[in-house]
Amino acid sequence: MNAKHYDVVIIGSGASGGSVAYMLSKAGFKVALLEKGRLIRRDEFSKDELAYCRRDLVTPNLFEEYHVIEEKVDGKWVGTPTYESGWSFWNGNIVGGSSNFMSGMFHRLHPDDFRLKSRYGEIKGANVVDWPISYEELEPYYTLAEKLVGISGHYIPHPYEPPRSTPDFPQPPTRENAVVKLLDKSCQKLGVTPLVTPRAVLSQDTPDRHACYYSNFCGSYGCSSGAKGSAREAFVKPALATGNLTLMTNSHVKRLHTRQKDRVAYAEVVDTVTGEERKVYGDTFVVAAQAHESARLLLNSANKDHPDGLGNSSGELGKNLLFSGGGSGQGILSKKRLKEIRFEELMQTGLFVNRSILDWYFVDDWWDGKFKGGSVEWMFEHQNIISRARKDNVREGRYIWGKELGERLVKRFSEGKSIRFEIFNDWLPNDNCFVSVDPKHKDKYGMPVGRLRVEGHPQDLKVGRYIAKKCEAILEEMGAEEIYSSVSAAPSQNLVAGGCRFGDDPKRSVLDRYCRAHDLANLYVVDASFMPTGGSVAYSWTIYANALRVADHLIKRLGKG
Amino acid sequence: MKRRGFLKLGVLMGSAPYLNAKAVTAFQKEFEAVSPVIEAVLEHIFPIGSQIPSAKETGLVHFVYETITHPSYDKDIRSFVIEGAKELDKRTQSRFVQMKHSQKEYALREYEMTGYGDNWLGRMMTLGMEGLFSDPIYGANPKEAGWKALGAYGGQPRPKTRYLGS
């Protein structure tokens, strides 16, 4: 085995790992960025639906690397490996991670999300706690992320819109489909305030990245202009330009090893192509492998000094895993019933819907009571052609095929367009949502796989259903047909957080307020693992902001600030 | 959430995740044995004269073969495609290919009544649509015929290489 030594070794090149790599290499540290997957460059991406959306091209083969998902069946916990179910919990194992494939609808958490317990009190069956930091401490980094990631938007004051230190976004919003006229008018008629969605997509060129070219296929695909603020575009590329960053692709970290009790000495790395193993040494280690995998790595790194896993003296490692509560719904805007706008305008491809609703972020309802609610995003149904063609070809339980199938598909594609809402609300932390390592199942590298118990809290469903009803009313007002919504207790495998809670008490948390393990002087976890509660928006902006905050702290602590 | 159960018909499935060269040859033979049945089923689902391109005109069965042979394709579903065709062949006393349209319709509707047949026919529909509506580079959407029929087109940039290889 050959050995190299770096100032900082980062495991995972996604939103958080990429951000830390950027900040530290800019500050002059020698950084190693270990990424399990390969590098796909901007000009290599295409809109190949088969390759990117229907085959495991950017995630591991589930027969080789998988998770075991535990669900309650007839009162008992039953674990099913994901190679059995096909329910993958991988989210983009390439340089830049899943940020390459996001839709980029970005929101900050609300100040009350940092003090949920103080604000709303105990919820039975939920492990709600306040964060050790406040919104005010994170705000400068939300602003920094806005600039570095490139978030376009237009600030509209709203009671539940968090305060900002700058008047507006660095770039104006991306272009919008005319359907927003109909959506805005329908919302206003119902007394609802539609807001312009901040989006991690450039509307204007910058020196290194081009503006969005409205390809019609954004989410689930890599961006070919560099407009999307993936960690690869926004952070890894400029970090490489400093000359201080060593990017190691196809490098999977199996374990972290300590020499002294309170210091990680090296990462045990396997080359995913050749199978060769090596050690990577560093002064500081930063884990950013996505919440469920970061906890798994620390659990798999147990040794005689840390018998229950690295950083687990509290017993909290892997506990209080979070997904996102909520659901989605949609309706069809048809040629014959469309109002306010022309059908040709509706059918124009590529432009965004760009509308969010925060009116129900906190609810005080005369009938339903007072509770923490959630946010809503509006969008067209994903424009993937195969998946749109494949759905809903059944009548009375029997397939529609033959010439009738052809007529049905042509009608579906030419006479209407589906508009959709997605609800994001808190996935309340609870004792039955956690990640451990499986006692039997191992991946192809011989390491125990993550075993995820994924039960939600009943309150999550109540909140989701409350908001879904409101959104269905908006669809009705818009004149949509075949309206439906679905609020599910199933976890969102692409929105994962928690498992390494941060807090000031080492007995009740894994990380301190700067996301350093209480038990180890040189181990940090910077992905969404740190979040004790998840808030009611997608995690991406908060992940970026917090990683930038931790990086700032590291620069000062390691002596180059 | 287990899905493997309904892919099985008393037949043990292979355990190797990838097909090696030897296995590809063996699999090719297996596929060739049921290929006429699969072709006839695809032609029934996607017939000539429909508003979307037909299985026959687009060579859909070749797309299905290339797709399921590739290492990235789920190995259990690969076996399921073959076993399901064998089962249909057995149920129709190996007469399916020669049947008249109305007889085929009857046989497939009968097969659909079984959970297993329902899943297999669903898989045929999925594979067929993957061919007809994927990028022309994969061969079953010649001159964007499938996209033109729907008035919906893949985004830019289009793939220059196939994930399947050349």
Side-chain angles (χ1 to χ4, degrees):
Chain A
M1 286 191 191
N2 57 350
K4 284 186 178 167
H5 194 104
Y6 296 88
D7 294 332
V8 181
V9 176
I10 303 171
I11 296 139
S13 69
S16 62
S19 305
V20 174
Y22 169 84
M23 294 285 279
L24 294 176
S25 51
K26 278 273 211 198
F29 294 97
K30 294 293 174 195
V31 178
L33 181 59
L34 279 69
E35 168 54 51
K36 172 178 167 173
R38 64 200 160 107
L39 170 67
I40 303 183
R41 291 187 173 81
R42 186 195 294 177
D43 58 5
E44 291 175 74
F45 283 115
S46 76
K47 307 299 182 188
D48 184 342
E49 183 178 349
L50 270 189
Y52 285 100
C53 299
R54 303 188 70 83
R55 305 286 179 261
D56 297 335
L57 242 71
V58 289
T59 52
N61 181 314
L62 288 178
F63 289 96
E64 297 179 342
E65 294 176 70
Y66 55 96
H67 298 91
V68 173
I69 307 301
E70 267 191 15
E71 291 176 299
K72 206 177 238 173
V73 181
D74 299 329
K76 283 187 185 155
W77 294 107
V78 178
T80 307
T82 54
Y83 61 75
E84 282 274 339
S85 63
W87 192 18
S88 178
F89 277 66
W90 300 116
N91 291 298
N93 298 101
I94 59 170
V95 173
S98 53
S99 66
N100 285 291
F101 306 110
M102 65 185 179
S103 303
M105 298 171 296
F106 269 34
H107 291 275
R108 301 174 181 214
L109 292 177
H110 186 275
D112 283 349
D113 284 319
F114 294 70
R115 53 190 181 214
L116 208 55
K117 189 174 177 189
S118 309
R119 189 80 167 74
Y120 286 87
E122 293 268 0
I123 295 176
K124 203 180 162 198
N127 304 323
V128 176
V129 291
D130 288 351
W131 290 28
I133 63 167
S134 66
Y135 174 78
E136 288 68 30
E137 285 168 82
L138 198 55
E139 200 285 333
Y141 300 99
Y142 275 123
T143 303
L144 182 61
E146 230 170 63
K147 194 175 128 209
L148 296 175
V149 173
I151 304 175
S152 57
H154 172 57
Y155 176 66
I156 300 167
H158 183 278
Y160 301 142
E161 187 70 83
R164 325 172 27 95
S165 56
T166 55
D168 211 338
F169 289 86
Q171 292 207 349
T174 48
R175 286 166 55 207
E176 294 165 351
N177 185 284
V179 79
V180 297
K181 285 185 218 161
L182 173 60
L183 178 55
D184 287 349
K185 197 165 177 182
S186 304
C187 285
Q188 281 147 8
K189 195 157 178 197
L190 297 171
V192 173
T193 309
L195 301 172
V196 175
T197 308
R199 196 174 286 276
V201 172
L202 299 178
S203 57
Q204 297 170 342
D205 286 349
T206 64
D208 303 314
R209 293 160 56 190
H210 300 294
C212 179
Y213 63 103
Y214 305 97
S215 72
N216 202 31
F217 298 87
C218 182
S220 308
Y221 289 97
C223 179
S224 299
S225 73
K228 196 190 284 186
S230 69
R232 179 184 45 78
E233 286 288 348
F235 293 115
V236 180
K237 270 177 77 173
L240 283 168
T242 64
N244 289 326
L245 178 68
T246 306
L247 173 64
M248 301 179 185
T249 54
N250 302 319
S251 297
H252 175 54
V253 177
K254 290 169 69 174
R255 282 189 203 93
L256 296 175
H257 293 266
T258 54
R259 285 234 173 99
Q260 295 156 269
K261 187 179 174 184
D262 70 338
R263 291 190 75 82
V264 176
Y266 66 92
E268 180 185 340
V269 181
V270 58
D271 185 304
T272 58
V273 177
T274 65
E276 264 176 52
E277 300 216 350
R278 66 186 195 278
K279 295 173 181 175
V280 177
Y281 290 85
D283 291 335
T284 300
F285 285 80
V286 175
V287 177
Q290 198 160 44
H292 47 314
E293 283 297 297
S294 290
R296 175 194 171 213
L297 172 61
L298 300 186
L299 288 163
N300 275 338
S301 301
N303 60 31
K304 66 174 173 39
D305 290 326
H306 303 273
D308 300 318
L310 288 188
N312 195 19
S313 64
S314 62
E316 286 291 317
L317 178 57
K319 302 281 168 63
N320 295 305
L321 194 68
L322 303 169
F323 295 93
S324 178
S328 62
Q330 66 184 49
I332 300 170
L333 296 171
S334 70
K335 196 172 189 171
K336 60 179 191 297
R337 287 189 57 187
L338 187 66
K339 51 187 186 183
E340 296 294 330
I341 59 169
R342 287 181 299 116
F343 186 65
E344 296 69 32
E345 290 179 295
L346 173 71
M347 297 304 273
Q348 194 175 359
T349 59
L351 306 181
F352 291 99
V353 176
N354 267 1
R355 286 295 180 274
S356 312
I357 296 173
L358 293 181
D359 284 19
W360 310 296
Y361 209 80
F362 300 100
V363 177
D364 189 357
D365 187 291
W366 69 275
W367 177 258
D368 293 279
K370 213 171 172 176
F371 54 91
K372 170 71 195 300
S375 65
V376 178
E377 301 294 344
W378 291 86
M379 64 207 75
F380 286 120
E381 176 184 34
H382 198 289
Q383 295 297 290
N384 268 345
I385 301 169
I386 299 165
S387 59
R388 278 194 290 157
R390 182 61 188 91
K391 66 169 200 182
D392 193 23
N393 295 316
V394 174
R395 188 174 45 237
E396 291 168 11
R398 320 201 80 184
Y399 288 116
I400 293 166
W401 57 49
K403 289 180 184 167
E404 193 188 349
L405 175 65
E407 285 162 23
R408 188 180 179 91
L409 293 186
V410 169
K411 190 165 184 275
R412 181 185 304 155
F413 276 76
S414 60
E415 294 185 10
K417 194 165 181 175
S418 291
I419 185 154
R420 169 181 171 82
F421 61 82
E422 287 185 2
I423 302 162
F424 297 80
N425 60 260
D426 281 71
W427 178 281
L428 290 173
N430 69 83
D431 288 345
N432 285 319
C433 193
F434 60 86
V435 55
S436 56
V437 286
D438 196 276
K440 281 193 301 191
H441 288 275
K442 290 183 177 167
D443 66 12
K444 69 170 177 179
Y445 307 111
M447 299 306 294
V449 306
R451 185 177 178 94
L452 280 63
R453 186 177 287 188
V454 295
E455 190 164 84
H457 189 282
Q459 176 71 9
D460 307 346
L461 288 176
K462 181 187 156 188
V463 174
R465 287 187 187 125
Y466 177 89
I467 297 173
K469 239 192 259 175
K470 304 275 184 192
C471 294
E472 284 195 13
I474 294 170
L475 284 175
E476 261 175 53
E477 181 60 39
M478 290 175 78
E481 298 164 86
E482 297 180 38
I483 296 168
Y484 73 89
S485 68
S486 153
V487 173
S488 156
S492 51
Q493 71 273 27
N494 61 335
L495 293 165
V496 199
C500 297
R501 275 184 162 186
F502 76 159
D504 290 330
D505 181 357
K507 292 200 177 88
R508 302 166 69 94
S509 55
V510 178
L511 308 173
D512 71 10
R513 59 174 50 221
Y514 293 110
C515 295
R516 184 177 71 168
H518 286 298
D519 302 344
L520 292 113
N522 68 339
L523 175 65
Y524 288 76
V525 182
V526 293
D527 54 30
S529 303
F530 75 98
M531 297 174 78
T533 56
S536 301
V537 293
Y539 299 129
S540 329
W541 196 351
T542 301
I543 295 173
Y544 273 129
N546 184 63
L548 294 170
R549 180 184 72 93
V550 174
D552 223 7
H553 159 78
L554 268 168
I555 291 167
K556 286 177 194 138
R557 182 173 171 235
L558 301 179
K560 293 200 179 169
Chain B
M1 69 184 218
K2 289 193 183 185
R3 68 175 174 150
R4 300 287 146 172
F6 60 65
L7 300 179
K8 289 178 186 169
L9 194 75
V11 181
L12 274 177
M13 296 191 181
S15 56
Y18 290 154
L19 291 178
N20 56 28
K22 200 173 155 192
V24 167
T25 316
F27 179 75
Q28 193 177 353
K29 275 190 189 153
E30 267 193 274
F31 189 86
E32 275 167 12
V34 292
S35 163
V37 174
I38 291 177
E39 193 167 10
V41 170
L42 289 170
E43 284 174 12
H44 192 86
I45 296 173
F46 306 104
I48 289 176
S50 170
Q51 290 186 35
I52 56 172
S54 69
K56 202 177 186 79
E57 292 160 317
T58 56
L60 209 46
V61 71
H62 181 67
F63 171 86
V64 170
Y65 172 71
E66 277 199 327
T67 299
I68 67 173
T69 314
H70 191 259
S72 66
Y73 203 73
D74 186 311
K75 68 183 172 70
D76 287 351
I77 299 179
R78 179 185 301 138
S79 308
F80 173 61
V81 170
I82 303 290
E83 296 304 324
K86 279 189 194 162
E87 175 65 10
L88 177 63
D89 190 55
K90 198 169 109 192
R91 291 171 65 95
T92 54
Q93 290 89 43
S94 300
R95 290 176 46 251
F96 185 79
V97 178
Q98 285 80 42
M99 282 177 170
K100 285 192 271 183
H101 182 270
S102 58
Q103 291 171 314
K104 281 180 181 157
E105 177 70 14
Y106 183 81
L108 292 181
R109 290 299 177 194
E110 284 288 301
Y111 194 25
E112 189 187 19
M113 299 288 275
T114 68
Y116 184 85
D118 182 69
N119 279 308
W120 187 79
L121 287 161
R123 181 57 53 181
M124 289 297 110
M125 290 187 71
T126 299
L127 280 163
M129 290 195 197
E130 285 186 348
L132 297 178
F133 304 124
S134 58
D135 193 274
I137 202 168
Y138 293 103
N141 181 13
K143 294 183 183 163
E144 303 181 5
W147 289 352
K148 279 180 190 152
L150 301 182
Y153 297 84
Q156 296 291 344
R158 300 271 168 76
K160 294 189 191 83
T161 54
R162 299 159 21 117
Y163 79 89
L164 296 167
S166 52

